[in-house]
């Protein structure tokens, strides 16, 4: 199996001895970044220490970031927006684009619900401020409905899974890998996805303090992550195998997810700024955040060169 080989140029503007004293605490969700980086072989020669911290969703990851427990991590655009509006010291340093087929509202296999329209008046579980919440709001707006037309039940993924399985809610608005787990292992059905409704962004985020004090390590990390993502587009099976092993989940689950997701890292550019502003504006219109943010103020373009080098752009 061919692996990505990174030249010594990945170590940016830092001496090896100085790097050896650095620990970068990285938040991850369901082995996302770690799995692809391990599968691509880009972690073998990291000259600093990466301390991985695993989270079940973006909200606790962002709480850890705000508390100073980690320096960087991967989150969706919706929880990033919610956190920034709540005063969390966070900036996006790289963008992740992918298809939105894995952001979906699920119903059980035998549910009489066939489409989003059938969910009027029904209970939908999701995480407050999550990308699942974003999908609900966007879907409601597309129909000219309001939140009064459905019953939102705010739950973290583990509790939402229990409520959904027990039939306490009619649908679950969630994201990958939860969507593929339900589809592959339990035959759940997607009644609506984020395709055409949401921008489809996630972000590698960092604290302003880390951007200032650990810039060299962050540049190196995002360059390696971009290289790993570029590798994964042509090596989905290898990535799925590594992810499944790390998460102790059958490889059919990540394979279902990754084949359709086409995940890639891109720099913060005008298109990313415009798409993030759409998420901000949706949240402002629906009252989820109290004031309209300026997307450009919470996105950091200064990692463009590192991302482009890693992605081969």
């Amino acid at each position: 199996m061919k692996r990505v080989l990174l030249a010594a140029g990945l170590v940016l503007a830092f001496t090896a001895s100085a790097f050896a004293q650095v620990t970068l605490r990285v938040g991850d969700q369901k082995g996302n970044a770690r799995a692809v980086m391990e599968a691509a072989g880009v972690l073998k020669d990291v000259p600093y220490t990466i301390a991985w911290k695993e989270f079940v969703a973006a909200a606790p990851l962002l709480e850890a970031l705000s508390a100073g427990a980690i320096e960087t991590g991967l989150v969706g655009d919706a929880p990033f927006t919610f956190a920034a509006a709540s005063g969390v010291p966070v900036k996006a340093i790289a963008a992740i684009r992918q298809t939105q087929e894995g952001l979906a509202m699920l119903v059980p296999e035998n549910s009489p619900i066939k489409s989003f329209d059938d969910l009027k008046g029904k209970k939908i579980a999701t995480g407050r401020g999550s990308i699942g919440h974003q999908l609900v709001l966007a879907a409601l707006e597309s129909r000219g409905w309001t939140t009064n037309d459905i019953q939102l039940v705010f739950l973290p993924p583990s509790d939402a899974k229990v409520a959904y399985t027990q039939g306490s809610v009619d649908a679950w608005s969630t994201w990958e890998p939860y969507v593929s787990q339900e589809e592959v292992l339990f035959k759940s059905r997607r009644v609506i996805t984020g395709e055409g409704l949401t921008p489809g962004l996630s972000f590698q985020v960092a604290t302003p303090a880390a951007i200032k004090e650990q810039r060299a390590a962050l540049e190196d990390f995002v360059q390696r992550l971009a290289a790993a993502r570029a590798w994964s587009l042509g090596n989905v099976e290898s990535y799925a195998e590594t992810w499944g092993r790390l998460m102790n989940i059958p490889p059919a689950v990540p394979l279902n997810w990754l084949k359709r997701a086409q995940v890639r890292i891109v720099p913060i550019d005008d298109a990313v700024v415009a798409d993030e502003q759409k998420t901000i504006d949706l949240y402002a219109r629906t009252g989820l955040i109290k004031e309209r943010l300026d997307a450009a103020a919470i996105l950091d373009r200064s990692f463009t060169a590192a991302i482009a080098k890693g992605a081969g752009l």
Side-chain angles (χ1 to χ4, degrees):
M1 182 190 310
K2 187 175 180 180
R3 301 255 177 166
V4 172
L5 297 178
L6 298 180
L10 278 172
V11 180
L12 304 172
F14 230 57
T15 66
S17 59
F19 252 142
Q21 307 304 313
V22 172
T23 295
L24 189 66
R25 297 171 298 175
V26 180
D28 204 10
Q29 292 188 59
K30 285 284 186 178
N32 201 317
R34 183 177 182 180
V36 72
M37 294 175 85
E38 283 196 7
V42 303
L43 295 176
K44 293 180 177 179
D45 61 343
V46 177
Y48 48 91
T49 299
I50 297 177
W52 294 100
K53 309 289 184 181
E54 190 68 32
F55 297 89
V56 297
L61 188 156
L62 286 160
E63 288 174 6
L65 194 85
S66 180
I70 57 174
E71 282 82 41
T72 186
L74 172 68
V75 298
D77 55 351
F80 166 69
T81 300
F82 192 59
S86 301
V88 173
V90 60
K91 288 209 170 188
I93 61 175
I96 296 89
R97 288 200 179 275
Q98 58 190 305
T99 69
Q100 288 295 275
E101 294 180 57
L103 172 60
M105 291 187 213
L106 299 170
V107 297
E109 180 182 15
N110 297 321
S111 170
I113 294 167
K114 304 300 181 186
S115 70
F116 178 73
D117 292 339
D118 295 332
L119 285 170
K120 196 165 191 176
K122 304 296 186 183
K123 292 181 180 179
I124 303 173
T126 197
R128 182 173 175 82
S130 69
I131 55 175
H133 192 182
Q134 177 191 32
L135 175 58
V136 173
L137 295 176
L140 290 173
E141 193 171 77
S142 74
R143 300 299 199 280
W145 298 0
T146 72
T147 52
N148 292 326
D149 290 305
I150 50 100
Q151 299 179 61
L152 273 173
V153 181
F154 292 122
L155 296 169
S158 58
D159 293 339
K161 163 67 175 172
V162 172
Y164 174 76
T165 301
Q166 293 179 345
S168 301
V169 297
D170 300 287
W172 181 15
S173 186
T174 190
W175 53 91
E176 296 288 17
Y178 301 110
V179 170
S180 285
Q181 282 181 241
E182 291 302 316
E183 285 184 297
V184 173
L185 302 180
F186 305 103
K187 307 303 179 187
S188 288
R189 293 183 286 108
R190 295 173 295 162
V191 294
I192 192 170
T193 73
E195 286 292 313
L197 288 175
T198 61
L201 281 176
S202 295
F203 292 112
Q204 189 70 31
V205 300
T207 62
I211 292 171
K212 179 180 179 181
E213 298 164 10
Q214 292 184 270
R215 170 170 289 276
L218 281 173
E219 286 183 335
D220 182 76
F221 181 83
V222 297
Q223 186 170 328
R224 291 173 188 271
L225 181 58
R229 285 294 180 197
W231 170 89
S232 72
L233 292 174
N235 296 273
V236 175
E237 290 79 6
S238 298
Y239 176 20
E241 181 182 351
T242 300
W243 188 94
R245 174 175 49 79
L246 282 174
M247 295 293 105
N248 195 29
I249 291 174
V253 170
L255 199 58
N256 185 72
W257 158 30
L258 298 168
K259 276 188 173 180
R260 66 188 178 197
Q262 295 294 296
V263 184
R264 63 196 189 281
I265 307 291
V266 297
I268 305 292
D269 58 15
D270 289 346
V272 169
V273 174
D275 280 347
E276 169 56 16
Q277 194 66 58
K278 290 177 184 176
T279 298
I280 290 169
D281 293 346
L282 172 66
Y283 273 21
R285 285 195 304 272
T286 56
L288 193 59
I289 59 175
K290 294 183 178 179
E291 60 179 283
R292 182 178 182 271
L293 300 172
D294 177 11
I298 56 175
L299 304 178
D300 188 327
R301 296 181 185 240
S302 67
F303 290 80
T304 295
I307 297 163
K309 187 174 181 180
L313 301 177

